[in-house]
Each structure stands twice: as C-alpha cells, then as structure tokens.
Amino acid sequence: MGKPLSATNSKTGLSYDDMLNDDFAFDMDSHDVMVFLHMQKTGGTSFGKHLVHDLDLQRPCTCPITPKRCYCFRPHSNQSWLFSRYTTGWKCGLHADWTELTNCVDAKLDELEGHIAKRRYFYITLLRQPLARYLSEFRHVQRGATWKGSRHFCHNRAATEVELPACYKSESWDNVELDDFMNCDSNLAINRQTRMLADLELVGCYNKDYMPEADRNRVMLASAKKNLQSMAFFGLTEYQKISQYIFEETFNLRFAIPFEQNNATVSSHTMPTLSAEQATKIAHLNDLDNELYQFAKQLLFERFHRLKARDSKFEQRFSHLGEIPGKFGVTEFDWDKLDDDITSNPV
C-alpha cells in the first residue's frame, strides 16, 4: 500500500535499497533533491537547522537575515538540492504530510525554478517515541501553538470543518488541561506520525465515513510502514548518534558537528506528573503510532547494522562523528526549545 518509492517513480523518489548499490551517489550537481517531511515535535526543527548549517558541502548553504530561510544551492547552479522549511518554506503547506508532499513537490519546484525537470527525490524524516511526542505537542499547544496554516490537503481538496472539527472555539487552545486535550476526538496529535506518513487517499482522506474505523486504522498503519520503509532516510529522536551515522553513510555526506542527545525535555518533566489512567489513555489513543515506532526502531537498527557491516573503519568513524578538520562547534539538539510556527501560514 502507498505509493512505492522506486527508481521508476520520479514523483516519490528512490528507495532505500536502490541507494545501497555500490554505484549510488547523491548527485548534488544534477537534479537530486532531498525532501524533508517534518512532523511536529519530533526534533525536526533542530535537524532542519543541521541540514542547512552543519553539513560539510562544496557550496555551503547561506542563511541571510530573512528569518527561517536559507539558500542551499547546487555547486554550479542556483537551484536548491533541499526542499524543506528553511530553504523553500512551507510550499506544500505548513507541516505538509506524505500525501501533500508527494502530490506537490514536483510542481512547486518546477514553479520555483521556472522550468520542468526530471528529478530524483529522496524523502527524509524523523520519528519520536509516541508518548514523549504527544506530551510535547500538548505542552506546545498549551503555550499557544495552533498550526492553523496547515491545509490538510488530500485528493485535490482541503479537509472540511465537518471532517476536522475544531477542538476549541477561541483563537488558540492555550492553557488547555491534559484531560481536555485527550478528550477531543478530532485532535490531530493522536497518531500524528502514522497519519502524516500514510497515503491518506487510500482511506478516503479525512472522511471517516469512507470505511469502518478498524479498516481505516489497519490500512493507514500498513501504508505508513510501507512509506517509511521506502524512505531514503529516517532517524529516531531517541537515537541521535545512530541516526547521524545512517544519514552520513547513506548520502555520503558529513556533518561538521556531532548530534547531541538531549533527554531532559519538557515532555520528560511532564511524564512523572501523569496519573496511571492518563498514561494508559495516551498509550491507547496513540496505539497506531506505538506500533509504527516499534517497526521504525527495528528497521533503524537493521539499517545501522547493514551499514556497519560494510564499513571497514566503523569504530573510528562512529567514535569521531561530526569531527572534520578545521571545523568546530556543537549545535545542541533541544527539540522543545522551538521557534516553531504557532499561526504561520505557508509561504
């Protein structure tokens, strides 16, 4: 299920297995493009900054004064090799999901570059342990985040108010209590990672009358797993070092800093305050994300061991990640100190 990421489908890109061929190279000077699918509260803001600030490139990205916008051009042309919040902006919608991106990226890049090109797309993303991610989103919403600019576009239209009724009547849901946050059935924090990685056209988009709930959940989870497995790269917030190694070995690119593992987050301080009933309910609400995360964790370590086995200098490489002669400095991975969008619209 889902649209396969295969070499024959220029819309959605090369599969991970295609990239492990001995003759593979991410061709920054041609028409290869990384597409970053950024899910809320997974560490994507920090990772996005690493992509534009910390990669050791022939032509480094430049980030002028304009907030949240960098230029990551190819070595010999002013065309971008990276489609992300910090480079192109939210061209496919605020925190666009798999369904939105795969139906949008190609046309938007043609529009930006002024011509039609046949490109190879490499989808990348981050996932996070579901309880921690859900609580982090709760705290972010509690502070005023709304993501009202998100379109939830699927099958050529945005979701209707009937399909996605608002959880609150005021401008924001700030100061919401956890129980109220959990009790809203249309809260998009629930199983967010599964929904954002699935091909929603398979389940009638946001129309929950399209099929029985059990079938909808089964199809959506299967699609999310399929799409994740086919992605060129994904990392897990809880495994920064392994994720960094996999990215570098997959794309043959190097970060000039080591990723930092920061476990002291807002959500980690919230967890001890949960009652047993609240913790059980959150786990039940996010049952699809929990299964997806376990699948992702197993797949991540499979990829890690596969790359490790063919790396004759693994011990040296792994112990010196982020160390490049002549380059210094560490960027902390603190995914709860966000400058994330609260009411931003796509630009």
Side-chain angles (χ1 to χ4, degrees):
M1 295 178 179
K3 299 167 186 174
L5 306 186
S6 66
T8 58
N9 191 337
S10 63
K11 176 180 170 183
T12 49
L14 266 70
S15 73
Y16 178 74
D17 287 337
D18 292 327
M19 297 176 65
L20 289 188
N21 292 333
D22 290 337
D23 59 349
F24 168 79
F26 180 77
D27 193 349
M28 199 168 284
D29 219 6
S30 182
H31 295 290
D32 287 358
V33 179
M34 282 188 210
V35 181
F36 181 28
L37 194 166
H38 179 181
M39 296 184 283
Q40 287 94 319
K41 312 308 295 179
T42 59
T45 296
S46 295
F47 182 70
K49 289 177 180 177
H50 281 318
L51 289 173
V52 299
H53 284 300
D54 300 321
L55 276 174
D56 186 31
L57 302 171
Q58 179 182 343
R59 184 181 181 181
C61 300
T62 57
C63 301
I65 296 174
T66 304
K68 301 181 183 178
R69 194 70 77 253
C70 297
Y71 300 106
C72 293
F73 292 141
R74 304 184 188 282
H76 300 101
S77 72
N78 287 341
Q79 295 176 350
S80 182
W81 55 267
L82 176 62
F83 191 97
S84 77
R85 159 196 180 176
Y86 285 118
T87 55
T88 55
W90 301 110
K91 290 294 182 185
C92 292
L94 180 61
H95 284 285
D97 57 27
W98 190 93
T99 305
E100 291 173 307
L101 286 173
T102 56
N103 285 287
C104 165
V105 168
D106 209 36
K108 287 297 181 183
L109 283 177
D110 286 345
E111 181 183 310
L112 285 170
E113 296 175 359
H115 68 278
I116 296 174
K118 187 176 181 180
R119 306 177 185 87
R120 295 196 305 180
Y121 293 110
F122 299 82
Y123 280 77
I124 62 177
T125 195
L126 292 182
L127 293 88
R128 187 177 180 185
Q129 196 280 331
L131 174 61
R133 199 217 63 78
Y134 182 87
L135 288 174
S136 186
E137 179 164 341
F138 157 65
R139 292 298 297 271
H140 202 49
V141 169
Q142 201 177 45
R143 295 192 299 268
T146 66
W147 299 295
K148 284 183 179 178
S150 296
R151 299 184 306 167
H152 309 298
F153 209 74
C154 178
H155 205 57
N156 301 316
R157 68 172 180 85
T160 67
E161 291 184 8
V162 173
E163 292 169 332
L164 283 181
C167 289
Y168 51 91
K169 295 180 180 180
S170 56
E171 283 299 307
S172 71
W173 210 8
D174 55 332
N175 299 316
V176 61
E177 295 295 331
L178 179 58
D179 288 338
D180 293 331
F181 190 77
M182 291 190 294
N183 287 335
C184 179
D185 292 338
S186 58
N187 188 345
L188 291 174
I190 299 169
N191 290 316
R192 178 179 289 282
Q193 295 175 105
T194 302
R195 190 188 70 256
M196 291 188 70
L197 289 175
D199 180 357
L200 296 180
E201 292 184 4
L202 294 172
V203 295
C205 300
Y206 292 90
N207 178 10
K208 292 186 178 179
D209 294 330
Y210 182 81
M211 63 171 63
E213 182 181 8
D215 292 341
R216 176 183 176 85
N217 289 343
R218 176 180 54 80
V219 172
M220 196 160 59
L221 180 60
S223 176
K225 288 180 178 180
K226 175 78 171 179
N227 293 335
L228 182 69
Q229 191 168 22
S230 297
M231 277 191 166
F233 164 80
F234 72 89
L236 297 184
T237 306
E238 289 74 24
Y239 298 93
Q240 296 292 341
K241 192 170 185 179
I242 288 174
S243 297
Q244 178 175 358
Y245 176 78
I246 291 173
F247 180 95
E248 292 189 0
E249 291 301 303
T250 301
F251 287 103
N252 196 25
L253 293 170
R254 299 290 182 263
F255 288 102
I257 59 94
F259 291 3
E260 290 293 303
Q261 187 72 52
N262 184 356
N263 294 322
T265 63
V266 170
S267 61
S268 68
H269 294 305
T270 305
M271 287 182 195
T273 69
L274 297 180
S275 68
E277 184 180 357
Q278 286 175 324
T280 299
K281 184 166 183 177
I282 292 173
H284 176 71
L285 286 172
N286 293 280
D287 57 344
L288 301 182
D289 270 11
N290 285 323
E291 185 171 339
L292 177 66
Y293 184 81
Q294 292 307 313
F295 174 83
K297 184 175 176 181
Q298 180 178 343
L299 185 59
L300 183 88
F301 278 91
E302 286 176 4
R303 291 187 176 189
F304 174 59
H305 291 304
R306 189 172 176 182
L307 291 168
K308 176 182 175 181
R310 70 179 201 173
D311 185 355
S312 60
K313 298 181 179 179
F314 170 76
E315 296 298 338
Q316 180 181 359
R317 272 276 295 124
F318 198 67
S319 60
H320 294 283
L321 282 176
E323 297 179 16
I324 297 177
K327 294 183 181 291
F328 305 97
V330 174
T331 302
E332 289 190 2
F333 236 95
D334 186 348
W335 46 85
D336 277 306
K337 285 186 178 179
L338 292 180
D339 57 346
D340 210 351
D341 299 74
I342 293 178
T343 57
S344 297
N345 289 312
V347 293

